[in-house]
Amino acid sequence: MNEADNLPHVLPAIPAWVDEVILVDGHSTDGTVAVAYGLLPGIRVIPQPGRGKGNALRAGFAAATGDIVVMIDADGSTDPGEIGTFVRHLRAGADFVKGSRFLQGAGTDDISRIRGLGNACITWAVRTLFGGRYSDLCYGYNAFWRSVLPELDLDSDGFEIETLMGIRALRAGLRVVEVHSFEHPRLYGTSNLHAARDGWRIFKVILRERFFRRAPRRAPARSAHAQ
């Protein structure tokens, strides 16, 4: 939403071998759509049906036609040049690849102290309640085979969708790989993230998934993906 100033730094950096680029437009008023078409005439623009980051992502996932889906932000914080790393791990056998700012070789120039503390608490809570070895759960640079979307069964509209994806991938028995990623500061504009409000929404999702949602049946092996 309203990322016209950022798109010239993001869209041209997407590797040429990417088959399909989808932009979900959250009712922009600054010419975002026109800028997108001017930079990448073949881009697919999907009007967002509701509000919130989760709602936008679910609309984009539903519209995607490729075998692999990679989600990145339009504000310049996620580097399109890293897409190849995510795809390589999927082609090597992973079902879901999660970017992490806290692995060796990773980093961030964007996260504040309070957001960093909140992310650490959320990651600890998920590891305690669900197991796994996640190091970063509030980062929106992820990739997965489109065929696993039914197992993720995403139903959140806000920023909590990033943590929800990690939890449901783990509970579904998907083969999850974390890769190092560097988060840059937003280039222009202001983020819609509110640390206290969205942090509380994330913790509610964690509690709901642990205590009120039945565990899904374990996912079958996907040996074909490793070929």
Side-chain angles (χ1 to χ4, degrees), residues 113-145:
R113 181 173 298 179
I114 188 170
R115 285 173 53 205
L117 178 61
N119 184 61
C121 292
I122 288 165
T123 302
W124 172 84
V126 169
R127 291 180 64 161
T128 300
L129 295 174
F130 301 97
R133 301 177 63 183
Y134 287 123
S135 63
D136 189 358
L137 275 161
C138 298
Y139 187 46
Y141 205 161
N142 302 314
F144 51 89
W145 292 95

Side-chain angles (χ1 to χ4, degrees), residues 2-208:
N2 294 333
E3 302 285 12
D5 291 336
N6 293 317
L7 292 183
H9 303 275
V10 177
L11 293 183
I14 295 175
W17 49 262
V18 171
D19 294 320
E20 177 182 61
V21 179
I22 295 175
L23 182 146
V24 181
D25 177 46
H27 318 290
S28 298
T29 58
D30 68 342
T32 287
V33 173
V35 170
Y37 280 128
L39 292 165
L40 200 63
I43 197 169
R44 293 181 58 203
V45 176
I46 307 298
Q48 183 175 348
R51 298 177 62 86
K53 183 172 185 177
N55 178 270
L57 286 171
R58 291 193 290 118
F61 298 160
T65 62
D67 293 331
I68 290 174
V69 178
V70 182
M71 48 188 272
I72 66 172
D73 292 333
D75 60 6
S77 61
T78 48
D79 180 5
E82 296 179 356
I83 290 176
T85 300
F86 288 77
V87 172
R88 282 195 297 273
H89 281 279
L90 290 171
R91 291 177 61 85
D95 297 313
F96 184 88
V97 180
K98 178 132 190 45
S100 172
R101 298 163 290 184
F102 304 114
L103 294 175
Q104 184 176 2
T108 175
D109 281 339
D110 183 65
I111 197 168
S112 65
R113 181 173 298 179
I114 188 170
R115 285 173 53 205
L117 178 61
N119 184 61
C121 292
I122 288 165
T123 302
W124 172 84
V126 169
R127 291 180 64 161
T128 300
L129 295 174
F130 301 97
R133 301 177 63 183
Y134 287 123
S135 63
D136 189 358
L137 275 161
C138 298
Y139 187 46
Y141 205 161
N142 302 314
F144 51 89
W145 292 95
R146 186 165 57 91
S147 60
V148 309
L149 275 171
E151 293 170 58
L152 297 177
D153 191 24
L154 300 172
D155 55 2
S156 289
D157 286 336
F159 283 94
E160 70 275 5
I161 194 168
E162 296 162 355
T163 300
L164 179 67
M165 293 180 75
I167 292 173
R168 292 199 176 164
L170 192 64
R171 297 190 77 193
L174 301 184
R175 287 171 290 186
V176 179
V177 174
E178 275 194 318
V179 297
H180 60 82
S181 178
F182 193 91
E183 180 186 38
H184 301 273
R186 165 181 276 275
L187 294 172
Y188 301 99
T190 303
S191 172
N192 292 315
L193 176 68
H194 187 282
R197 178 196 64 205
D198 293 308
W200 174 236
R201 288 184 63 161
I202 292 170
F203 272 109
K204 287 195 295 183
V205 162
I206 292 171
L207 295 175
R208 182 193 72 190

